[in-house]
Amino acid sequence: MTKEISVALVGAGAMGGALLRGWLSAGTIDPAASAVFDPAADAALKKLARRHDFALNPSPEGISVDALVLAVKPQAAASVLPAYAAIARSALVISVMAGMSLAAIGRALGDPPRVARAMPNLPAAFGAGVTGLYAPATVNAHGRDVIDRLMAATGETVWVRSEEEIDFVTAVSGSGPAYFFLLTEALAEAGAALGLEKEAAQRLARATASGAGAMLAADPRSPADMRKAVTSPGGTTAAALGVLDGDAKALRRLMKEAAAAAAKRAAELTE
Ligand SMILES: NC(=O)C1=CN([C@@H]2O[C@H](COP(=O)(O)OP(=O)(O)OC[C@H]3O[C@@H](n4cnc5c(N)ncnc54)[C@H](OP(=O)(O)O)[C@@H]3O)[C@@H](O)[C@H]2O)C=CC1
Ligand SMILES: O=C(O)[C@@H]1CCC=N1
């Protein structure tokens, strides 16, 4: 049987909390040997700690774990991380922070020997996440296996070739769920503008987005082939796609601009 991983998680907000819940339900981590740090822990986190018996906000001194996972806001990292430097000396450090470089993490933690970056996304909370991963050569095959096991507990994993590519992962899949939520909001608003009741339009848009997601998850066809399957020649979908994807390729152009803005922001956060 594969050994459960002991983890110290710093920051159990939206993303850290989703990862924690995924690890606990998949049995990936050993809760009794793990610790979670989040000073203003809410009632749900306290309840989770009691149910699974992990340490919540213990003193970081003397804690020894397989992996130290960093999930605080990048803007808070420089002031928060130094308290975990001792843990980082012996643990594999995995940062899920957007735009916080290996060099900056190293500076904040006193240059620990093994640091890697992971960029998960929020559907991890439902086991439907995808995480981009990068580790430098200082992380050996065993370390990579630990990282992969932790992140695969919440969905798919994709290793990338360079640290720079983590910014591109952030722009595509880290931030990506928000793009689909916005599209869903926009579709509901369009339905209401046509004359549907607001609630009916919202239900239709949400179920359509989730149905399309279910097809993407289960149907082996490419997204382009599935789009063609919905589109009858000369029909209604073709009329709509003429606006979204006609000669001006409006949506594709907008998506490129949006992803470029996200990648640029990730690079700025690093500076
Ligand atoms: N949200 C997302 O979809 C994704 C986020 N990320 C990355 O994950 C990281 C966290 O983002 P997100 O979860 O959205 O942010 P949240 O604000 O939801 O979570 C951050 C958590 O860290 C806590 N915190 C603050 N100070 C400390 C401290 N000193 N020690 C321990 N915990 C502390 C915060 O508590 P409090 O609220 O009380 O300040 C909060 O619960 C970011 O770096 C982000 O780039 C990566 C991929 C996707
Ligand atoms: O918006 C952000 O900066 C974080 C990183 C990816 C998703 N949320």
Side-chain angles (χ1 to χ4, degrees):
M1 201 179 103
T2 325
K3 183 179 159 286
E4 290 167 347
I5 301 164
S6 58
V7 166
L9 172 67
V10 183
M15 195 63 250
L19 293 173
L20 177 64
R21 285 170 176 81
W23 296 331
L24 291 169
S25 63
T28 315
I29 63 169
D30 175 0
S34 296
V36 174
F37 299 92
D38 196 307
D42 61 13
L45 185 57
K46 287 179 184 159
K47 193 170 160 197
L48 202 65
R50 280 195 300 275
R51 177 143 58 96
H52 292 277
D53 200 25
F54 58 79
L56 183 57
N57 293 321
S59 162
E61 269 170 50
I63 287 194
S64 170
V65 285
D66 297 318
L68 172 66
V69 179
L70 308 174
V72 290
K73 293 281 188 204
Q75 293 86 346
S79 63
V80 171
L81 298 194
Y84 303 95
I87 300 179
R89 271 199 289 279
S90 60
L92 171 61
V93 180
I94 307 168
S95 166
V96 307
M97 294 181 290
M100 185 82 187
S101 66
L102 291 174
I105 297 162
R107 278 195 298 279
L109 283 173
D111 284 323
R114 295 175 297 150
V115 188
R117 290 190 56 191
M119 183 45 57
N121 65 7
L122 224 43
F126 300 90
V130 60
T131 302
L133 297 167
Y134 172 74
T138 43
V139 177
N140 65 14
H142 172 70
R144 283 163 183 267
D145 182 54
V146 168
I147 298 168
D148 207 281
R149 277 173 55 211
L150 277 174
M151 303 320 286
T154 62
E156 291 186 39
T157 56
V158 177
W159 286 87
V160 297
R161 298 161 297 183
S162 68
E163 187 180 6
E164 185 193 21
E165 287 190 17
I166 286 290
D167 287 351
F168 309 155
V169 171
T170 309
V172 173
S173 55
S175 297
Y179 314 159
F180 290 93
F181 299 140
L182 177 63
L183 200 59
T184 308
E185 289 175 66
L187 183 56
E189 283 163 16
L194 285 171
L196 285 167
E197 281 186 322
K198 192 174 165 193
E199 200 207 324
Q202 284 171 345
R203 285 182 54 203
L204 289 164
R206 190 175 179 131
T208 301
S210 116
M215 279 184 73
L216 285 165
D219 194 319
R221 287 176 296 176
S222 70
D225 281 345
M226 287 189 275
R227 169 172 52 78
K228 284 173 195 154
V230 184
T231 312
S232 312
T236 61
T237 314
L241 293 181
V243 176
L244 292 171
D245 203 29
D247 290 344
K249 299 285 172 204
L251 185 62
R252 291 176 201 261
R253 196 168 37 76
L254 211 53
M255 193 55 83
K256 277 196 184 120
E257 278 178 34
K264 179 169 174 279
R265 182 65 189 137
E268 283 165 6
L269 285 169
T270 302
E271 285 160 7

